[in-house]
Amino acid sequence: ETNTLPFHPFENQQGDILRMEKEHQVLKEQLKEAEEKFEQLQSRSLEEIGALEELLKKTIEDTEVSQNELDWFHQDSETQMKKWQQEKKENRENLKALRATAKKHSDTNERSLKTIDDKEKQYNECLNTFLETSNKFANEKVKLEELIKKSQDDNQECEKRAVKAEVSVLQNWKETEVWKLRGTIAKAEGNLRMLKALSSSASAAPVLKSQIDSWEIFISNVKKQLEKVEAEYEEKIELVKNGARNCLNKVKTVDVPVP
């Protein structure tokens, strides 16, 4: 994740600084070659000028040449001299331009290096700040995780107590309803026994027969109601034990009319 993105504002795309450094190196080499070429040209020019002056002197001393030839020779020498001077001037201008370009790239490179150093300092400061903050948050995270675990344990304990309490309430409601229904059954069975005892008389049997039947039906209905209440309360208790909610309500009972 390091050095994979352009470094703005000195790079429009990745590698601009490296390409600039390579161009700077190439310009340095070109400058060196131009200087060597200039020195070679200067040395050759000096040697040729010296040789021509020697030749001119020897020619004047040893031979007589026509004025036309002498003028031609001077003109040719002047032409060559102007040519060499022009080349020298051009080489100087090229050298000056290359030096200016080299200085420009050198200044840009120095600014880039300074900017890189500044950005690196800023990065190190931000990194240190980030590490401090990260360590702080890590410590807080550990504390929060401990609190969460403690809260979860407390919540589980509360849920256990709540389930136990709901089961206890349902059990009490169940026992109350069962006690009431069993009491009703016991009273009805007492009345039925009394009627059956009275019906042992032949004269009373036809009269009490319908009442005995009514009480037997009543007892049967109450027993069914008792079974229903016990079954539904047991079902609610099991649901609560298995984690169900909103089960804490009484089982609806139907009042069986007493004969």
Side-chain angles (χ1 to χ4, degrees):
E1 296 177 0
T2 305
N3 296 334
T4 58
L5 298 174
F7 184 63
H8 297 293
F10 305 102
E11 285 186 327
N12 292 325
Q13 59 183 2
Q14 186 183 359
D16 284 348
I17 292 179
L18 294 176
R19 283 195 292 275
M20 189 181 294
E21 290 179 353
K22 291 180 180 178
E23 291 175 1
H24 179 62
Q25 187 64 30
V26 171
L27 289 173
K28 278 186 176 181
E29 293 176 359
Q30 291 178 354
L31 176 62
K32 183 177 179 181
E33 291 176 359
E35 289 177 346
E36 291 175 357
K37 183 177 179 182
F38 171 74
E39 290 174 359
Q40 291 175 359
L41 288 173
Q42 188 178 31
S43 176
R44 186 179 67 184
S45 298
L46 291 174
E47 290 176 0
E48 291 180 356
I49 290 171
L52 288 172
E53 288 177 351
E54 290 279 340
L55 181 62
L56 179 61
K57 183 178 178 181
K58 184 177 180 181
T59 302
I60 294 173
E61 291 174 354
D62 296 339
T63 62
E64 292 181 357
V65 293
S66 64
Q67 188 65 35
N68 292 333
E69 292 177 347
L70 185 59
D71 293 340
W72 175 82
F73 178 75
H74 281 297
Q75 289 176 0
D76 185 64
S77 298
E78 288 176 358
T79 301
Q80 292 292 331
M81 182 63 70
K82 288 179 180 179
K83 181 179 178 181
W84 292 332
Q85 287 178 349
Q86 183 65 28
E87 290 180 355
K88 181 178 179 181
K89 182 180 179 181
E90 290 176 355
N91 287 333
R92 283 180 176 175
E93 290 177 352
N94 291 335
L95 180 61
K96 184 178 179 181
L98 288 172
R99 284 177 176 172
T101 303
K103 186 176 184 302
K104 179 180 177 182
H105 287 297
S106 178
D107 293 342
T108 303
N109 188 39
E110 289 179 359
R111 287 196 300 271
S112 299
L113 292 174
K114 186 177 182 300
T115 303
I116 290 172
D117 290 338
D118 294 339
K119 294 296 182 182
E120 186 174 1
K121 290 178 181 178
Q122 293 178 5
Y123 168 76
N124 289 329
E125 291 176 358
C126 292
L127 180 61
N128 292 331
T129 303
F130 168 76
L131 292 175
E132 291 176 0
T133 306
S134 178
N135 292 333
K136 180 180 177 182
F137 281 123
N139 294 332
E140 292 180 356
K141 179 183 177 183
V142 171
K143 292 179 181 178
L144 288 174
E145 286 177 348
E146 292 176 352
L147 289 174
I148 290 171
K149 186 176 183 304
K150 185 177 182 301
S151 298
Q152 289 176 343
D153 294 340
D154 293 342
N155 184 52
Q156 289 178 356
E157 185 63 28
C158 290
E159 287 181 354
K160 290 179 181 179
R161 290 200 301 270
V163 169
K164 186 176 180 181
E166 288 184 11
V167 169
S168 178
V169 170
L170 290 171
Q171 191 71 35
N172 287 334
W173 286 347
K174 173 191 168 185
E175 290 175 358
T176 300
E177 290 297 327
V178 168
W179 178 81
K180 287 167 60 179
L181 291 172
R182 285 180 177 172
T184 301
I185 292 171
K187 289 180 180 180
E189 287 177 344
N191 292 335
L192 182 61
R193 284 194 300 271
M194 184 179 64
L195 288 172
K196 284 182 177 181
L198 293 173
S199 67
S200 60
S201 173
S203 59
V207 178
L208 298 177
K209 178 68 170 64
S210 61
Q211 292 187 21
I212 290 172
D213 293 339
S214 297
W215 280 103
E216 288 178 346
I217 293 171
F218 173 76
I219 292 170
S220 176
N221 291 334
V222 174
K223 286 182 177 179
K224 290 179 180 179
Q225 186 74 16
L226 176 61
E227 292 175 357
K228 175 178 176 295
V229 168
E230 287 182 331
E232 291 188 12
Y233 271 114
E234 287 297 328
E235 183 181 358
K236 285 178 176 292
I237 290 171
E238 288 300 320
L239 288 174
V240 170
K241 288 181 178 179
N242 292 329
R245 295 292 181 268
N246 300 324
C247 294
L248 196 61
N249 45 50
K250 291 184 177 182
V251 175
K252 292 182 180 181
T253 58
V254 179
D255 291 334
V256 181
V258 180

